[in-house]
Amino acid sequence: DKKSQFDQEFFIANPNKRFLLTLDSDENLLKLNSINKLLTSSFINNAISDYLASPYVLSTVRLWWSTKNDTATSSQMFHADEEDLSQLKLFININSIGEAHGPFTFIDAGASEDVIRNSKTGKKKFTDEQITSLIDQTSMHKLTGESGSAAFVDTSRCLHYGSRSNQYDRLVLMAQYLRLDAPLLRQSLALN
């Protein structure tokens, strides 16, 4: 039902990121008992608490629809998120995802640090050529799998991209967990 809101007029008014659309977010998704229970479960919370080793919050929840596309721009290029030095995002495949669905792709934190350290340009986005010249391909992982397959990724420490060259639609639930002292949270709290 939500897909119908993205008609031709929407794309004319919003030309950026046509490849990654938010079907629903935060409050609406957390009203769904099954999603709320999952994202606040002890299993999820223990994993996040162990990794972040600091008080944290569930900052953002999004249901993302990646449309059929043939682009490799913006967040479709390797990059690291900048909300904090460390964070966790949980990606859950809603539909089964294969190579042709433009899967979320990430590089191990250690290899990502090497790429960033060896980059002489200071750029925040990296081409595939830059990446493949600096890392072993075993450091790269794709979140493919059946509906319900999932991964936690520190998107501040791991270079990543998604929604690239989709031949088929991809539907993913993303939950972002940030430490309470994350600069992004401090900034938003100061604005409110």
Side-chain angles (χ1 to χ4, degrees):
D1 292 342
K2 295 270 185 179
K3 288 181 180 181
S4 65
Q5 71 186 348
F6 299 103
D7 57 10
Q8 188 66 19
E9 289 178 23
F10 172 87
F11 288 117
I12 291 169
N14 302 282
N16 298 331
K17 279 203 170 185
R18 295 175 69 130
F19 56 85
L20 183 63
L21 304 167
T22 298
L23 292 179
D24 217 339
S25 61
D26 301 329
E27 193 174 323
N28 287 337
L29 290 170
L30 290 173
K31 285 180 185 174
L32 299 171
N33 192 40
S34 57
I35 291 177
N36 193 314
K37 279 178 77 172
L38 172 68
L39 298 182
T40 59
S41 69
S42 59
F43 173 78
I44 298 287
N45 281 296
N46 289 340
I48 296 161
S49 183
D50 288 348
Y51 183 80
L52 293 178
S54 173
Y56 64 89
V57 295
L58 172 57
S59 170
T60 306
V61 182
R62 297 280 186 268
L63 180 60
W64 279 335
W65 171 33
S66 298
T67 60
K68 189 175 177 180
N69 71 80
D70 60 0
T71 57
T73 184
S74 185
S75 62
Q76 294 172 304
M77 295 177 66
F78 281 103
H79 67 284
D81 294 340
E82 298 181 327
E83 292 91 345
D84 198 358
L85 297 176
S86 190
Q87 65 175 295
L88 272 182
K89 284 187 179 174
L90 173 61
F91 297 92
I92 302 173
N93 289 333
I94 302 302
N95 59 321
S96 294
I97 304 295
E99 277 291 325
H101 294 87
F104 177 80
T105 302
F106 67 98
I107 299 171
D108 293 342
S112 293
E113 288 171 19
D114 291 343
V115 169
I116 293 167
R117 186 175 43 253
N118 291 320
S119 171
K120 310 258 187 288
T121 64
K123 291 183 180 178
K124 299 185 186 216
K125 290 195 173 22
F126 298 90
T127 65
D128 288 359
E129 293 76 23
Q130 290 171 305
I131 295 295
T132 55
S133 70
L134 294 170
I135 69 160
D136 182 318
Q137 290 300 306
T138 60
S139 301
M140 193 178 311
H141 309 280
K142 294 180 184 275
L143 183 53
T144 57
E146 297 301 314
S147 173
S149 54
F152 280 112
V153 180
D154 185 336
T155 58
S156 292
R157 296 187 59 222
C158 297
L159 293 169
H160 61 279
Y161 70 79
S163 308
R164 185 194 289 183
S165 301
N166 299 40
Q167 295 171 29
Y168 303 102
D169 286 359
R170 177 177 69 120
L171 202 56
V172 174
L173 181 72
M174 184 282 298
Q176 177 187 43
Y177 299 86
L178 292 172
R179 296 181 305 179
L180 277 178
D181 62 353
L184 177 76
L185 287 178
R186 286 198 310 257
Q187 180 183 7
S188 68
L189 290 173
L191 292 174
N192 291 331

